[in-house]
Amino acid sequence: MSQSYNRGLVEDFGRWKEFSAGMWAWIFHKFTGWVLIGYLFTHIAVLSTSIDGAQGKTTMVGGEELNVYTATLQGLEGLFLIRLLEVGLLAVAVFHILNGLRLLMVDLGVGLEAQDKSFYASLILTGAITVASVPTFLTGVTI
Amino acid sequence: MSTQQAEPESQEAPDDPAMNGAESPAADEQTGGGMVDDHAEKRAELEGETVHIKVFRYDPEVEGKQEPRFDDFHVPFEKGMTVLDAVMYARDEYDSSLTFRHSCRQAVCGSDAFFVNGKQRLGCKTQISDLEQPVRIEPLPHQEVVKDLVVDMDHFYDQMHTVEPYFQDEDTPATEDLEEQRQTPENREKIKMSSRCIWCGACMSSCNIAAGDNEYLGPAAINKAYKFAMDDREDEQIKEHRLRILEQEHGVWRCQTQFSCTEVCPKDIPLTEHIQELKREAVKKNLKFW
Ligand code: HEM
Ligand code: SF4
Ligand code: FES
């Protein structure tokens, strides 16, 4: 629709404080879906070092000769930032799956009147699972 | 142009005894649980106060109003005052050029959907006492503003007509054979909510998808199609014809289940639910097992 003047973002995302549950669910679902796709590419890049690893290629790490694949994984897992990103990835994946199940229910016409509650439930469950995962992801890493 | 209006002393909020008979506030306060008490409390707070409203002003034809702005009005609060009452008071007492549509004042005509405190609401169905102050009153987003709170509804009406919102028959019988077509109570129940639409446009204005895709039929039109597609009295072929319109590129599949329309509909129509059901109907029609 052509506007006779520009109301700008105020009409759309400038109103983010007034968004309701379903709108937030939509935004988070898009965001998490694309983050997962992005992760897929980094995941493939890391895994592909196993091809060199299988061919017996090695690299020197701290005066020690290590298999390339092992060295890559140990190097990455030794970084605090990577561990933190792993927690984030888990959060993103868990939310996408839980809200994905919610969306499947919505598509089947089940429980539409509780769609806001199921979104909040997805958020809370995601938070709980993420917090519970922190010990697993962050043990044995030095900052 | 003055934007800050002094409140006339004589217009102080009323202890209007005449109102008491009609509304029986005592009974009102005793009837319910938390909700009613909450309302009563807020109302008591506002008694004898003025309400601060900020109203969007714009008129491309008047010099000095071509730049959109907000005008402030302080309106004496009255028990039961709606957003529509407040803008009408502002128009009648302070600025007669303040322009907005309204007619029935009872959520029937659908002409006074505004953007109130960031949400699409019917002016006449929204109690001032339920809102945070100052109350921001704007025209519906995503529609061209004609003047002040008046938006161009043509596009909305076009979309409504696209779904052929009238009862159709394969072949109309000869005049002498015409008879009343009865609906079963169950079928009536099925389409009951969808038939409540008052064409206010609130849903369409709230929809993020409709904002980005001008051809999207939008929630109201799809709901209107639902009313007819689910009516058993129409022939199977006509239902198929309706589903063919709905399953087109800018039909039901544009809906991303954001639930914005369902949140704002003043007639509480479960719009998303109806759209989802039509998606399933469209899929079922196209599924073939052979
Ligand atoms: C159990 C696991 C998963 C479930 C239940 C699930 C569920 C869904 C559903 C229902 C949608 C459609 C949302 C809509 O109706 O608009 C969706 C969208 C999407 N999903 Fe998933 N998903 C899962 C895993 C994944 C994974 C592993 C990835 C990435 C590799 C992914 C990436 C995406 C993307 C990119 C979208 C589209 C987002 C958009 O609309 O732009 N999903 N998912
Ligand atoms: S469906 Fe509801 S919000 Fe949309 S036009 Fe009809 S009454 Fe208004
Ligand atoms: S004035 Fe008719 S719906 Fe509000």
Side-chain angles (χ1 to χ4, degrees):
Chain A
M1 268 153 269
S2 67
Q3 293 280 353
S4 38
Y5 64 92
N6 188 7
R7 279 202 254 179
L9 274 182
V10 155
E11 276 185 301
D12 301 293
F13 290 99
R15 300 282 183 187
W16 61 273
K17 279 187 200 154
E18 272 122 15
F19 286 173
S20 54
M23 189 68 186
W24 281 119
W26 180 77
I27 291 172
F28 288 165
H29 201 85
K30 288 238 144 180
F31 177 75
T32 54
W34 288 105
V35 167
L36 287 174
I37 299 264
Y39 167 69
L40 204 59
F41 287 101
T42 60
H43 191 51
I44 291 167
V46 171
L47 284 187
S48 66
T49 60
S50 71
I51 297 172
D52 285 343
Q55 288 165 350
K57 280 196 187 151
T58 57
T59 180
M60 297 301 287
V61 179
E64 210 185 332
E65 189 172 5
L66 276 182
N67 182 292
V68 171
Y69 182 50
T70 314
T72 309
L73 286 191
Q74 284 184 353
L76 285 173
E77 293 301 321
L79 296 174
F80 181 68
L81 176 68
I82 294 291
R83 299 291 189 99
L84 216 56
L85 285 175
E86 279 172 344
V87 176
L89 178 67
L90 180 86
V92 159
V94 169
F95 176 80
H96 190 87
I97 290 169
L98 293 177
N99 193 57
L101 296 175
R102 168 182 169 272
L103 287 172
L104 295 177
M105 302 287 275
V106 167
D107 284 341
L108 292 170
V110 180
L112 268 77
E113 61 292 337
Q115 59 87 15
D116 48 347
K117 291 184 197 72
S118 56
F119 166 64
Y120 297 135
S122 308
L123 277 186
I124 291 166
L125 253 174
T126 303
I129 291 173
T130 308
V131 169
S133 80
V134 167
T136 313
F137 279 112
L138 294 187
T139 43
V141 63
T142 43
I143 302 172
Chain B
M1 204 161 289
S2 109
T3 59
Q4 198 77 22
Q5 307 279 353
E7 158 219 327
E9 254 1 275
S10 58
Q11 290 291 346
E12 271 285 34
D15 275 322
D16 186 358
M19 289 287 288
N20 293 344
E23 299 248 351
S24 177
D28 187 15
E29 255 128 81
Q30 282 161 9
T31 38
M35 276 298 274
V36 173
D37 289 339
D38 207 33
H39 280 268
E41 221 170 79
K42 278 192 191 141
R43 221 165 45 215
E45 260 172 46
L46 283 169
E47 215 68 59
E49 300 280 317
T50 57
V51 184
H52 182 185
I53 58 174
K54 292 176 93 71
V55 187
F56 180 91
R57 305 302 301 273
Y58 169 76
D59 187 344
E61 288 168 13
V62 173
E63 200 155 338
K65 269 182 82 184
Q66 283 156 352
E67 196 56 43
R69 63 155 197 267
F70 282 90
D71 278 0
D72 293 88
F73 298 101
H74 295 267
V75 177
F77 178 75
E78 244 179 76
K79 176 170 168 283
M81 178 176 255
T82 63
V83 168
L84 181 64
D85 293 333
V87 284
M88 284 171 73
Y89 188 95
R91 177 198 61 195
D92 296 344
E93 303 293 328
Y94 302 139
D95 183 350
S96 60
S97 73
L98 178 59
T99 310
F100 46 91
R101 293 192 185 100
H102 69 89
S103 174
C104 70
R105 300 207 236 166
Q106 48 180 324
V108 172
C109 71
S111 51
D112 67 336
F114 305 136
F115 198 50
V116 183
N117 280 1
K119 195 179 163 197
Q120 287 79 1
R121 313 177 209 239
L122 275 190
C124 61
K125 198 170 178 268
T126 307
Q127 290 288 314
I128 280 279
S129 54
D130 290 343
L131 300 170
E132 291 277 322
Q133 283 192 45
V135 179
R136 261 172 90 95
I137 306 167
E138 297 166 70
L140 290 180
H142 307 303
Q143 267 136 299
E144 185 158 356
V145 179
V146 180
K147 185 180 175 184
D148 294 345
L149 301 176
V150 176
V151 293
D152 184 351
M153 298 286 284
D154 284 353
H155 178 68
F156 175 76
Y157 296 147
D158 285 348
Q159 300 307 75
M160 292 300 263
H161 290 296
T162 307
V163 300
E164 304 175 5
Y166 38 84
F167 198 75
Q168 294 177 50
D169 220 332
E170 270 295 282
D171 25 35
T172 310
T175 318
E176 60 274 18
D177 297 332
L178 284 175
E179 56 179 21
E180 182 185 6
Q181 299 196 41
R182 296 213 169 183
Q183 186 175 29
T184 64
E186 295 76 35
N187 194 231
R188 164 64 203 163
E189 204 48 42
K190 170 108 189 137
I191 65 158
K192 184 174 89 185
M193 294 307 281
S194 65
S195 70
R196 293 172 54 160
C197 179
I198 55 173
W199 299 50
C200 69
C203 52
M204 185 85 145
S205 168
S206 78
C207 177
N208 192 44
I209 309 301
D213 175 2
N214 220 6
E215 287 174 66
Y216 175 40
L217 289 174
I222 296 175
N223 174 70
K224 185 59 72 182
Y226 177 98
K227 174 182 186 292
F228 290 99
M230 294 299 164
D231 193 318
D232 285 345
R233 292 168 297 179
E234 273 190 346
D235 296 336
E236 212 34 55
Q237 298 98 303
I238 290 170
K239 178 169 178 180
E240 283 214 7
H241 165 69
R242 292 193 183 280
L243 287 174
R244 271 199 297 278
I245 298 175
L246 289 169
E247 72 183 6
Q248 283 170 15
E249 191 187 341
H250 299 280
V252 287
W253 298 108
R254 289 297 117 236
C255 169
Q256 302 261 329
T257 63
Q258 292 170 344
F259 289 92
S260 306
C261 54
T262 309
E263 293 281 333
V264 299
C265 176
K267 307 303 282 186
D268 299 325
I269 302 171
L271 293 164
T272 312
E273 197 170 325
H274 290 168
I275 299 172
Q276 292 298 85
E277 194 172 342
L278 287 171
K279 283 181 188 169
R280 292 195 297 277
E281 288 293 309
V283 171
K284 273 192 242 162
K285 177 176 76 75
N286 289 323
L287 277 183
K288 294 195 178 69
F289 299 99
W290 68 86

